[in-house]
Amino acid sequence: MERMVKILGAFVDTLVLNIYPTDHDFEIEERRVDESLKEELMLLKGQAQEAEEDVPTRFAFNGASLLMRAKGGDGFNWIMHNHWLTVAVNRPRVAQRANHKRRGR
């Protein structure tokens, strides 16, 4: 009998998650990035661009500071990282919000 499951790899080294704010019924809610956080992220990105290198932030993961990159990427405005984690933060665009609504969300 042929197996239904095929193992293609083991020991995950990369995991990508899209995280959306939801209500109590797990329906996606439209929310904006808090203004004070947005200002902080913009300031850090500006400092990274001026220095032409990543700059430390107040955020940490696994005991190490997350560093703000000078450039975003693939639709993300702010990217912070350390050896263990990369966090990409995006402000929702009108097209994204409309797409979620079309799918009945």
Side-chain angles (χ1 to χ4, degrees), residues 24-67:
H24 293 290
D25 296 321
F26 299 103
E27 294 294 321
I28 294 175
E29 288 186 333
E30 284 189 38
R31 292 190 201 163
R32 297 209 176 263
V33 175
D34 180 78
E35 281 301 313
S36 62
L37 177 59
K38 186 168 108 177
E39 288 175 19
E40 180 180 358
L41 295 173
M42 289 171 49
L43 177 67
L44 288 164
K45 184 175 177 181
Q47 290 172 353
Q49 290 171 337
E50 175 121 355
E52 296 183 358
E53 63 183 28
D54 298 347
V55 297
T57 70
R58 66 179 172 97
F59 306 103
F61 180 78
N62 207 23
S65 291
L66 291 175
L67 305 173

Side-chain angles (χ1 to χ4, degrees), residues 16-20 33 41-42 45 49 68-80 86-93 96:
V16 177
L17 301 172
N18 288 317
I19 301 171
Y20 297 95
V33 175
L41 295 173
M42 289 171 49
K45 184 175 177 181
Q49 290 171 337
M68 176 64 75
R69 290 191 174 152
K71 296 183 180 179
D74 293 333
F76 295 98
N77 296 313
W78 306 287
I79 299 177
M80 297 173 284
T86 299
V87 177
V89 181
N90 186 26
R91 295 181 298 203
R93 294 186 300 238
Q96 290 173 327

